[in-house]
Amino acid sequence: MRSARTTRPVSDRGRLADAQWWRQAVVYQIYPRSFADSDGNGLGDLAGVISRIPYLASLGIDAVWLSPFYPSALADGGYDVDDYRDVDPRLGTLADFDEMTARLHARRIKVIVDIVPNHTSNRHAWFRAALAAPKGSPARNRYIFRDGLGPDGAQPPSDWASMFGGPVWTRVPDGQWYLHLFTTEQPDLNWDNREVRDDFLKTLRFWSDRGVDGFRVDVAHGLAKNLAEPLASLPVGGDITDGSLPPGTHPLWDRDEVHDIYAEWRQVFNEYDPPRAGVAEAWVHPSRRPKYASPDGLGQAFNFDLLEANWNAGEFLRVITDNLADAQRQGSSMTWVLSNHDVVRHATRYGLPPEEHRGHPNARNWLLSGGTSLRLERGLGLRRARAAVLLVLALPGSAYLYQGEELGLHEVPDIPFDLVQDPAYARSQGAEKGRDGCRVPLPWTSGGPSFGFGAGPAHLPQPAWFGAVSVQAQDRDPASTLTLYRQALGWRHKLQTAESMDWMPGTNGQVLHFARPGGWRCVTNFGPGPVPLPNGTVILTSVPFEGSQLPADTTAWLLST
Ligand code: NOJ
């Protein structure tokens, strides 16, 4: 089942089309430890994914992206990797991975894996060797070790705060300090070290040789650093897109040199036929995104602007317009993301009062209160989420769906504090509840010990209301959100053509109306009241309605007549 490596250029039209498969793909994100548990140990696993391939095929997706399934102590949900070229034994084996890939491919579903190059875990063989080795050794030079400040070096080398709170420096027994932009258990690698670069090229080939079709690159904007001393005070966990530092000059983020790394990765991707795809997780200023998405680099970059947007026609219009302009500049396709494993689920965001500031302060405070500080309008949030996904799926470019959104899942806000797993909670000293609420294992059945997730309880507690929104409850219901996703993806496959769109008359501060080539049109009414439905044959609506008025918080797909 392995695909052979080749350096032959991609030349004929058919193969070229295949090489571009990712440009308008619908990619379904699986958070493996919370997807399906085949052995009843409470953690989802690869055999669980295999058992649900018929479900994935029934959705009509083009690819899955698996969040990390590598050996890990789960200090950060698996983004603390002990070994990049193996499977966590609790999740399965490399043979399971090969079987999963082969079976997904047999259903024409591509496989994207998550690569975490900014940091290893503190259990990685390299970090253990670094701790055992003396100061100044080659083993320490794979990471970022520094002496501390003050007469006995007891002060950290700088006052920088980590992304989840707490300092970025941790002291080791011989008195040196190591840098970690995230948790203490995630030491940052030294990307100035050729050995580090070569090892990741080996990892990319390892998975590509096993038939992986692409890579999602974690913290893609963090690898290149300038740690020339003295290390000045600066915002680390803050918003680096706010323009307070000239582009490319932050010592830790989004430095121009990072693209040399991805140019090398691209050469590896292009050794394969079709070339392996890449998508960057890069939280950078929009003007800096095209470089990550360039054909000489990773090829595609997430646009996270919809994660920050309220349910509002003006905000969606701005995001779509900017994303279109980006795509033209970068020669890549657009990406659309409403939810992922790091943010409050969008059905919930849209059912809470609008956010006035970036970063979802309302939703985060609501989580901290266990879901009581604000009234969540569950029905309204779901209605808007259904309208939003039809809008997004009608746009040119690729759409990244997050497991459970096809069930219309809301965030789970009331996980008891003593069961919280996300390190953001402890590191922020309780100022953040963290991201567990969108990572609660999926409900497959209406009852059972973990609603069909596995034979025993799930690793995060599931709420009682999960049963009513399970796959089983929605599977054959023509009005369910699951049915809507299946219908939408079915239509999209039939209607998707060139990567272009035109705004149509009727687009205003309440309504977005656009056309795709071939007569496919999409109109969304963001409310508050009904608006006249444009002419055309209605083929799909986010909620049922009668008559010639498009109700508030509703999307309709039309065919021009
Ligand atoms: C981004 C990932 O999406 C997030 O879950 C993780 O905590 C950080 N990178 C650190 O790896």
Side-chain angles (χ1 to χ4, degrees):
M1 294 307 300
R2 307 265 168 94
S3 19
R5 289 230 308 277
T6 169
T7 48
R8 275 175 299 147
V10 178
S11 52
D12 66 80
R13 276 187 77 214
R15 284 163 61 226
L16 192 63
D18 197 29
Q20 306 284 312
W21 66 267
W22 48 272
R23 292 191 70 98
Q24 300 210 76
V26 175
V27 183
Y28 181 89
Q29 182 190 356
I30 292 179
Y31 190 76
R33 291 175 174 86
S34 297
F35 187 67
D37 170 19
S38 71
D39 58 9
N41 69 354
L43 272 187
D45 46 43
L46 297 187
V49 176
I50 292 171
S51 73
R52 299 296 177 184
I53 289 175
Y55 173 78
L56 295 169
S58 82
L59 285 175
I61 55 172
D62 302 298
V64 290
W65 147 32
L66 288 113
S67 281
F69 48 80
Y70 313 110
S72 169
L74 304 182
D76 181 18
Y79 285 89
D80 46 319
V81 179
D82 298 348
D83 181 348
Y84 293 90
R85 300 190 283 269
D86 205 352
V87 173
D88 186 330
R90 291 168 297 181
L91 272 66
T93 61
L94 283 169
D96 293 330
F97 183 86
D98 292 342
E99 182 184 344
M100 179 194 75
T101 304
R103 290 200 189 200
L104 284 164
H105 283 168
R107 303 300 287 261
R108 306 180 73 82
I109 298 173
K110 308 250 188 214
V111 178
I112 296 174
V113 299
D114 217 311
I115 286 290
V116 188
N118 181 65
H119 42 264
T120 68
S121 80
N122 60 345
R123 307 196 316 172
H124 191 284
W126 275 3
F127 195 68
R128 291 176 198 258
L131 291 185
K135 181 177 158 179
S137 58
R140 287 223 171 158
N141 192 39
R142 295 174 182 136
Y143 292 91
I144 301 168
F145 279 85
R146 288 284 186 280
D147 291 331
L149 302 179
D152 53 1
Q155 301 299 317
S158 69
D159 61 357
W160 302 341
S162 77
M163 294 297 286
F164 298 140
V168 298
W169 297 101
T170 290
R171 201 168 194 201
V172 301
D174 68 12
Q176 275 212 303
W177 300 76
Y178 70 88
L179 179 98
H180 51 88
L181 294 182
F182 293 87
T183 70
T184 313
E185 295 84 0
Q186 292 166 296
D188 279 40
L189 285 163
N190 172 15
W191 276 86
D192 287 336
N193 184 332
R194 187 67 241 174
E195 191 187 0
V196 170
R197 294 185 183 221
D198 287 342
D199 197 66
F200 271 86
L201 300 182
K202 186 171 168 188
T203 296
L204 296 176
R205 290 193 178 102
F206 178 87
W207 293 109
S208 298
D209 286 347
R210 301 193 100 87
V212 155
D213 303 281
F215 298 90
R216 177 265 187 191
V217 183
D218 189 68
V219 199
H221 57 312
L223 280 49
K225 299 180 176 79
N226 176 2
L227 296 175
E229 294 173 1
L231 305 177
S233 286
L234 50 84
V236 174
D239 184 354
I240 61 152
T241 65
D242 66 0
S244 57
L245 284 175
T249 63
H250 195 292
L252 303 175
W253 300 116
D254 188 30
R255 298 187 62 78
D256 292 334
E257 308 90 89
V258 81
H259 299 293
D260 299 341
I261 298 169
Y262 300 131
E264 283 193 350
W265 289 27
R266 171 52 56 189
Q267 285 179 19
V268 173
F269 294 171
N270 289 352
E271 289 170 7
Y272 293 83
D273 180 12
R276 291 344 187 200
V279 56
E281 187 220 19
W283 291 88
V284 297
H285 190 276
S287 64
R288 306 274 299 172
R289 213 181 281 139
K291 268 257 162 162
Y292 294 86
S294 117
D296 304 328
L298 292 174
Q300 195 178 52
F302 285 122
N303 181 319
F304 290 132
D305 294 353
L306 283 182
L307 297 181
E308 301 284 350
N310 287 303
W311 178 248
N312 171 294
E315 291 190 40
F316 269 65
L317 178 62
R318 179 190 54 75
V319 172
I320 295 167
T321 311
D322 289 355
N323 208 345
L324 277 167
D326 270 5
Q328 270 161 8
R329 277 186 296 151
Q330 67 202 14
S332 182
S333 63
M334 284 159 275
T335 58
W336 306 106
V337 189
L338 290 167
S339 278
N340 65 27
H341 65 297
D342 287 333
V343 297
V344 172
R345 286 186 177 277
H346 63 279
T348 300
R349 299 201 312 267
Y350 298 154
L352 288 170
E355 301 282 358
E356 292 192 9
H357 303 286
R358 291 184 60 180
H360 315 130
N362 282 345
R364 282 156 55 192
N365 291 334
W366 174 83
L367 277 179
L368 268 180
S369 74
T372 58
S373 66
L374 296 166
R375 196 165 92 80
L376 170 64
E377 295 193 56
R378 296 180 78 87
L380 181 65
L382 176 57
R383 182 182 177 109
R384 290 173 170 173
R386 292 170 60 121
V389 79
L390 283 202
L391 190 166
V392 160
L393 288 174
L395 288 165
S398 51
Y400 286 82
L401 309 178
Y402 176 53
Q403 68 176 40
E405 69 166 83
E406 78 279 16
L407 305 176
L409 285 191
H410 273 284
E411 188 83 2
V412 179
D414 48 2
I415 296 170
F417 284 97
D418 58 339
L419 297 181
V420 167
Q421 296 178 9
D422 188 347
Y425 174 58
R427 287 190 67 86
S428 70
Q429 297 180 321
E432 298 285 339
K433 186 148 185 196
R435 302 159 293 177
D436 291 348
C438 65
R439 300 175 178 184
V440 175
L442 288 191
W444 293 93
T445 56
S446 306
S450 51
F451 299 108
F453 168 68
H459 69 98
L460 280 169
Q462 298 158 302
W465 51 264
F466 258 31
V469 289
S470 65
V471 173
Q472 184 182 42
Q474 299 197 35
D475 198 27
R476 287 172 208 285
D477 175 359
S480 72
T481 303
L482 177 56
T483 300
L484 178 72
Y485 270 69
R486 287 174 173 151
Q487 290 173 334
L489 294 183
W491 274 113
R492 179 180 157 108
H493 274 288
K494 285 189 215 133
L495 298 173
Q496 188 78 273
T497 52
E499 281 175 54
S500 61
M501 59 175 279
D502 291 304
W503 292 109
M504 297 293 286
T507 294
N508 57 35
Q510 177 179 345
V511 175
L512 299 188
H513 181 197
F514 59 89
R516 298 289 306 277
W520 180 18
R521 282 169 28 232
C522 175
V523 56
T524 302
N525 175 7
F526 287 78
V531 296
L533 188 62
N535 288 335
T537 305
V538 175
I539 54 170
L540 189 63
T541 62
S542 56
V543 286
F545 64 88
E546 305 262 313
S548 57
Q549 296 282 303
L550 180 65
D553 303 310
T554 305
T555 295
W557 284 2
L558 306 150
L559 288 181
S560 297
T561 42

